[in-house]
């Protein structure tokens, strides 16, 4: 067998074994895992950093005849996005909010609701976010809150509730947060 043919076959086998691909669906970009039909949100289409209105992450997306369940928000997916003027809605299918996923996002309004499906909030996931109001309740499903996860969040106006299910709270997770009135 020639070297070129061997290289071609090796590359073809490698390409067929790749379980994921990136696609744009509506206003969001996803990495789709074709093996287990799951999706990770990786940002706004085209890598945009400005958005208006609500940010609604769907529970599932359809692509090429398949339905993919959105199970995670990838690292730095919406980092430094500006101009949001509405709510952030995370579906019950998401289990992981990646590191810096919403770091330095501003303009969100209303309560931040973390669904019961989430088990991990990554490092700096919401660091420096502004605009959230009301309570921040970490659901019983969460076991890890990463370092600096909510550092410098301003705007919360009520209580912070952390359940006993949380086994790890990273360094500076709530440092310089303002607005909380009790627990």
């Amino acid at each position: 067998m020639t070297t070129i043919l061997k290289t071609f076959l090796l590359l073809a086998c490698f390409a067929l074994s790749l379980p994921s691909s990136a696609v744009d669906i509506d206003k969001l970009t996803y990495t789709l895992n074709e093996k287990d039909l799951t999706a990770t949100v990786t940002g706004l289409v085209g890598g945009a950093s400005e958005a208006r209105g609500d940010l609604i992450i769907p529970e599932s997306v359809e692509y090429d005849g398949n339905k993919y369940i959105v199970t995670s928000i990838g690292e730095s997916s919406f980092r430094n996005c500006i101009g949001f003027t509405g709510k952030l809605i995370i579906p019950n299918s998401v289990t992981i909010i990646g590191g810096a996923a919403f770091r330095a996002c501003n303009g969100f309004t209303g309560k931040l609701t973390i669904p019961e499906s989430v088990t991990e909030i990554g490092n700096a996931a919401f660091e420096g976010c502004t605009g959230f109001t009301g309570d921040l309740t970490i659901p019983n499903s969460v076991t890890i809150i990463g370092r600096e996860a909510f550092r410098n969040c301003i705007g919360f106006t009520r209580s912070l509730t952390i359940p006993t299910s949380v086994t790890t709270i990273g360094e500076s997770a709530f440092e310089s947060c303002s607005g909380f009135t009790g627990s």
Side-chain angles (χ1 to χ4, degrees):
M1 204 180 274
T2 68
T3 303
I4 292 173
L5 183 56
K6 286 180 185 177
T7 304
F8 175 76
L9 289 173
L10 180 63
L11 289 173
C13 288
F14 177 73
L16 290 174
S17 68
L18 291 176
S20 61
S21 59
V23 298
D24 295 338
I25 302 171
D26 295 324
K27 298 177 183 181
L28 300 175
T29 299
Y30 301 87
T31 299
L32 303 178
N33 186 318
E34 296 165 6
K35 189 174 183 178
D36 65 4
L37 297 177
T38 60
T40 298
V41 178
T42 59
L44 297 170
V45 168
S49 62
E50 289 193 37
R52 298 280 182 256
D54 296 336
L55 174 55
I56 301 170
I57 298 170
E59 190 165 308
S60 64
V61 293
E62 290 191 25
Y63 182 76
D64 201 22
N66 292 315
K67 182 177 179 180
Y68 295 85
I69 304 300
V70 178
T71 58
S72 60
I73 301 169
E75 291 193 17
S76 299
S77 292
F78 301 98
R79 184 179 186 166
N80 296 322
C81 283
I82 58 170
F84 286 111
T85 56
K87 297 176 183 176
L88 168 60
I89 300 174
I90 301 170
N92 287 323
S93 58
V94 169
T95 58
I96 296 172
I97 300 173
F102 299 99
R103 186 180 203 170
C105 287
N106 68 37
F108 287 123
T109 60
K111 181 180 177 181
L112 171 58
T113 301
I114 298 172
E116 287 287 338
S117 56
V118 172
T119 59
E120 181 178 336
I121 300 170
N123 296 335
F126 294 95
E127 181 185 11
C129 285
T130 62
F132 292 120
T133 59
D135 298 330
L136 173 57
T137 301
I138 309 294
N140 287 324
S141 56
V142 172
T143 59
I144 299 170
I145 299 172
R147 71 178 190 281
E148 300 177 351
F150 296 94
R151 183 175 178 241
N152 292 323
C153 283
I154 56 172
F156 289 109
T157 56
R158 298 194 26 205
S159 65
L160 167 63
T161 304
I162 301 172
T164 58
S165 62
V166 174
T167 58
T168 304
I169 298 177
E171 184 177 328
S172 304
F174 297 95
E175 180 181 315
S176 300
C177 287
S178 66
F180 292 122
T181 58
S183 57

